[in-house]
Amino acid sequence: MSRPTIKTVAAEAGVSTATVSYVLAGRTRSNGSGISPSTAERVQAAAQKVGYRPNQAARTIRTGKSNLMMLSLTMLSDPWSLSVSKAVGAAVASAGITPMILADTDWRTAIKRQSADVIFIDAAAQVGDAELLAELARTSRLVVFSETLEPNGFDVIRSVAGGSMDAAMDHLTAQHTKVACLTSRGSLQVPTPKRYGAYLAGLRRAGISFREDYVAPFEGDEFGAYEAAVALLSQPDPPTAIFATSDFVAMAAINAAQRLKLSVPGDVAVVGVGNTLQGEAMEPSLSSVGPVDFFNRLAQFLVERATDGSAPHQVLEFPWQLFVRDSAPRTPIPIDH
Amino acid sequence: MSRPTIKTVAAEAGVSTATVSYVLAGRTRSNGSGISPSTAERVQAAAQKVGYRPNQAARTIRTGKSNLMMLSLTMLSDPWSLSVSKAVGAAVASAGITPMILADTDWRTAIKRQSADVIFIDAAAQVGDAELLAELARTSRLVVFSETLEPNGFDVIRSVAGGSMDAAMDHLTAQHTKVACLTSRGSLQVPTPKRYGAYLAGLRRAGISFREDYVAPFEGDEFGAYEAAVALLSQPDPPTAIFATSDFVAMAAINAAQRLKLSVPGDVAVVGVGNTLQGEAMEPSLSSVGPVDFFNRLAQFLVERATDGSAPHQVLEFPWQLFVRDSAPRTPIPIDH
DNA sequence: ATGAAAGCGCTAACAC
DNA sequence: GTGTTAGCGCTTTCAT
């Protein structure tokens, strides 16, 4: 037994497919004065009876609207991603939009399989992405989070780190000389690794010489970061401060420290990047650089873009600042005992 | 300028739409001996030139296949959900399927907006879900995680907790008399709260009398759990052991304890439910009850269901056991100092 | 080796 | 007030 269509419903109710379509759209007909209540009722009953559910693909092909928002999140376990998802979930509630997450996938290939009214891409760092995105933007509305890309048929969300990462490094070097950097191996390979660059610059400003063994690149996700942090902190002359290039990386570092019975921030201070809720809520609360009220504003923007007909492609900037919390406090604290 | 279609490509290449379709499908034609290499090349070039990208909705309406797998995950920040996502991501890689996550949404409404070849639903506890699911199963392949539902046109994944939760409680009551339960308020309201039930039964077996103030129901997500745990542990006569009804709840409890400068397991022992990777990797590693190798087997099953033509609706059972780790070890350990 | 054409389920002009 | 009908972009059978 195959799936019922409007045809099935129409036959059951003894009306045309057009009538069914109108009734089910809950819309009063554009010209004329509409469907008679009795007909409407009959159609509803018929739909109910045959168990009709609209075919989204057909509706999409006809209207060009899918009512879908796609969120491409490259590291779902990153609290940053979870914060995006949560904020979007709250924001779409009343807009009739369904948010779907494309997780840990290469959006470049996956996006061809599924379109949406608005697509958010959380990281587009590869060379050549610019053209692909411009291309994609012709068919879907695109919102890209990127520090380097310029809007080109799509919108760009941008962090304006400004001096905040320098402030974070200065904050660490004020009290420490053994400052390490924990970062994903991939991020070291992009042309201008901004966060890693800030680390190097911070050392230079403080007159601290670079140590190869204080750079800990990790592979993959939080597990990889955790392993790398354990290795970093287990070496003979471990660092007393860690600049982690993301909040989830920082959280992994703190977990690693605690595993090694090291006190945070007593034995090792940690600063992250992202200023996520999860970082703020953890114990010790995470010092981090990041934007204020980022997630809600992003979600709001995405909903507008999904709804809006207009498409003024713009740059939305979020200035960053350093949030000093317990994992790397203003003044040194004595080691717990 | 509107999006190019096969028509555009056909015109550009000077062939028919049928030829374009065949070339782009990379398929040799069923009857006859196929497309000539020169034509194929011309079509490819034309497609490239006009920037053609197939319209998935149109393809889906025609073929009935979307190559989409939908994962409805009610609490995305739960490591359980992340583990599902990760395992699925690895499993679909070669199958040409795109997994999309429906996060923290009510699948009952959202599912009507988007169909998929296979839909996984991680929790269907409401009364009346059975009919809705049976109904949905007529159009999409459905896989439901449920302890109570019986397969009815859809597959059921089931945890067989067996005596494992009793074992967990006995494990706690062997060393503790002040055993609390941290659980979501919602789960207390279902007819038979299995995990909470195991808590109560465990107390009874150990001859420990029930204390109202040792039941800490929380609202929402890990933040709610964290707050509830702080309150639970801050009271005048705090518990020395916590039975948390999910791994993420247990992790929140451990964070709360650490915030309050309590040692885990020295001051308070914690057991979770789910046996997630994240729980295993945290510090202290989380004692938990759950299945073995659950996530990979689930992912494998989902891929099979997305690919398979056959639809033998079955129950897949995962026996649980207690995994004793550091957060509630076999033998008591002295408090750190 | 290639093209013509039907039709998937749905919506929206337009006709009655 | 309701029905007819033309497609949306694509795949696939059947002719040529």
Side-chain angles (χ1 to χ4, degrees):
Chain A
M1 180 161 156
S2 82
R3 177 173 180 168
T5 73
I6 44 169
K7 250 181 180 159
T8 326
V9 178
E12 178 74 27
V15 296
S16 76
T17 60
T19 303
V20 174
S21 178
Y22 275 104
V23 171
L24 265 37
R27 200 184 327 169
T28 176
R29 239 162 139 168
S30 41
N31 65 339
S33 40
I35 303 282
S36 75
S38 71
T39 313
E41 210 167 313
R42 204 147 35 90
V43 171
Q44 294 285 12
Q48 180 74 33
K49 181 177 172 198
V50 302
Y52 172 78
R53 291 190 320 111
N55 179 322
Q56 252 311 323
R59 191 171 278 181
T60 297
I61 199 185
R62 191 60 236 261
T63 62
K65 286 223 70 168
S66 61
N67 293 321
L68 246 43
M69 178 188 293
M70 195 154 101
L71 305 173
S72 170
L73 302 174
T74 23
M75 184 153 315
L76 190 57
S77 54
D78 187 338
W80 192 91
S81 300
L82 295 172
S83 297
V84 169
S85 168
K86 183 176 281 188
V88 165
V92 296
S94 57
I97 297 170
T98 306
M100 304 267 290
I101 297 171
L102 193 58
D104 306 327
T105 324
D106 181 32
W107 59 266
R108 277 157 279 257
T109 63
I111 247 169
K112 296 176 181 164
R113 294 241 184 76
Q114 175 66 24
S115 68
D117 291 348
V118 56
I119 301 178
F120 172 70
I121 293 173
D122 73 346
Q126 308 283 27
V127 191
D129 279 349
E131 296 106 80
L132 179 50
L133 291 171
E135 164 87 43
L136 268 169
R138 288 173 41 190
T139 136
S140 295
R141 196 143 316 190
L142 230 55
V143 178
V144 178
F145 183 83
S146 168
E147 327 252 309
T148 53
L149 255 45
E150 289 302 324
N152 177 15
F154 51 86
D155 299 295
V156 172
I157 307 283
R158 210 196 295 293
S159 295
V160 183
S164 66
M165 288 199 290
D166 293 337
M169 278 302 294
D170 291 348
H171 179 67
L172 290 178
T173 55
Q175 296 168 29
H176 301 268
T177 53
K178 300 180 179 177
V179 181
C181 181
L182 187 59
T183 189
S184 78
R185 188 177 299 282
S187 76
L188 291 177
Q189 290 160 350
V190 299
T192 349
K194 221 168 182 177
R195 299 176 186 188
Y196 180 62
Y199 166 73
L200 296 177
L203 292 184
R204 233 177 291 121
R205 266 197 314 285
I208 298 173
S209 56
F210 173 83
R211 288 178 58 165
E212 183 79 47
D213 58 334
Y214 282 177
V215 175
F218 67 88
E219 307 283 351
D221 53 16
E222 74 264 34
F223 297 108
Y226 178 83
E227 291 304 328
V230 167
L232 177 66
L233 292 170
S234 302
Q235 59 181 303
D237 183 23
T240 61
I242 297 178
F243 178 72
T245 57
S246 187
D247 266 17
F248 85 93
V249 180
M251 292 166 72
I254 291 176
N255 287 336
Q258 293 181 336
R259 165 153 222 146
L260 298 172
K261 308 284 182 208
L262 296 175
S263 150
V264 177
D267 295 316
V268 56
V270 178
V271 166
V273 175
N275 192 34
T276 58
L277 290 170
Q278 284 82 350
E280 192 175 349
M282 88 174 298
E283 178 57 32
S285 63
L286 185 63
S287 295
S288 185
V289 292
V292 195
D293 193 32
F294 171 72
F295 301 105
N296 289 327
R297 282 177 61 206
L298 168 63
Q300 194 52 47
F301 183 77
L302 289 174
V303 169
E304 274 165 28
R305 276 287 175 268
T307 327
D308 246 359
S310 70
H313 308 301
Q314 63 175 69
V315 179
L316 204 62
E317 299 198 324
F318 290 88
W320 280 18
Q321 60 189 81
L322 171 63
F323 295 85
V324 175
R325 303 201 187 88
D326 300 343
S327 74
R330 191 76 60 189
T331 54
I333 63 159
I335 299 178
D336 281 14
H337 45 217
Chain B
M1 180 162 156
S2 83
R3 176 173 182 168
T5 72
I6 44 169
K7 250 180 181 160
T8 325
V9 178
E12 179 73 27
V15 296
S16 75
T17 59
T19 303
V20 174
S21 178
Y22 275 104
V23 171
L24 264 38
R27 200 186 326 170
T28 177
R29 243 165 136 165
S30 39
N31 65 338
S33 41
I35 303 283
S36 75
S38 72
T39 311
E41 210 167 313
R42 208 148 29 91
V43 170
Q44 295 285 12
Q48 180 75 32
K49 182 179 172 196
V50 301
Y52 172 78
R53 294 190 318 111
N55 178 321
Q56 250 311 321
R59 190 171 278 182
T60 297
I61 198 185
R62 192 60 236 265
T63 62
K65 286 222 73 173
S66 62
N67 294 320
L68 245 43
M69 178 188 294
M70 196 155 99
L71 306 173
S72 171
L73 302 173
T74 22
M75 184 153 315
L76 189 58
S77 53
D78 187 338
W80 191 90
S81 300
L82 295 173
S83 297
V84 170
S85 168
K86 182 176 283 192
V88 165
V92 296
S94 56
I97 297 170
T98 306
M100 304 268 291
I101 296 171
L102 194 58
D104 306 327
T105 324
D106 181 31
W107 58 268
R108 277 156 280 255
T109 63
I111 245 168
K112 295 175 182 163
R113 294 242 185 74
Q114 174 66 25
S115 67
D117 292 347
V118 56
I119 301 177
F120 171 70
I121 294 173
D122 72 345
Q126 308 283 27
V127 192
D129 279 350
E131 294 106 80
L132 179 51
L133 290 171
E135 164 87 43
L136 267 169
R138 286 174 41 191
T139 138
S140 296
R141 197 143 315 188
L142 229 57
V143 178
V144 179
F145 184 83
S146 168
E147 325 253 311
T148 53
L149 253 47
E150 289 301 324
N152 177 14
F154 51 87
D155 299 295
V156 171
I157 307 283
R158 209 194 298 291
S159 296
V160 183
S164 67
M165 287 200 289
D166 293 337
M169 278 302 294
D170 292 348
H171 180 66
L172 290 178
T173 56
Q175 295 169 29
H176 302 268
T177 53
K178 300 181 178 178
V179 181
C181 182
L182 186 60
T183 189
S184 79
R185 189 177 300 281
S187 76
L188 292 176
Q189 290 160 350
V190 299
T192 347
K194 221 168 183 181
R195 299 175 186 188
Y196 181 62
Y199 167 72
L200 296 176
L203 291 185
R204 233 177 290 121
R205 265 198 314 284
I208 298 174
S209 55
F210 173 82
R211 288 178 58 165
E212 183 78 47
D213 58 334
Y214 282 177
V215 176
F218 68 88
E219 308 281 352
D221 52 17
E222 73 266 33
F223 297 108
Y226 179 82
E227 292 305 327
V230 169
L232 176 68
L233 292 169
S234 302
Q235 59 182 305
D237 183 23
T240 61
I242 296 179
F243 178 72
T245 57
S246 187
D247 265 18
F248 85 93
V249 180
M251 291 166 75
I254 291 177
N255 287 335
Q258 293 181 336
R259 166 151 220 145
L260 298 171
K261 308 285 182 207
L262 297 175
S263 150
V264 177
D267 295 316
V268 56
V270 178
V271 166
V273 175
N275 193 34
T276 59
L277 289 171
Q278 283 82 350
E280 192 175 350
M282 90 175 296
E283 179 58 32
S285 63
L286 184 63
S287 294
S288 183
V289 291
V292 195
D293 193 31
F294 171 72
F295 301 106
N296 289 328
R297 281 177 61 205
L298 169 62
Q300 194 51 48
F301 184 77
L302 290 174
V303 170
E304 274 167 27
R305 276 287 175 267
T307 325
D308 246 358
S310 68
H313 307 300
Q314 64 175 68
V315 180
L316 204 62
E317 299 198 324
F318 289 88
W320 280 19
Q321 60 190 81
L322 171 63
F323 294 85
V324 175
R325 302 200 189 90
D326 299 344
S327 73
R330 192 76 59 189
T331 53
I333 64 157
I335 300 178
D336 280 11
H337 46 219

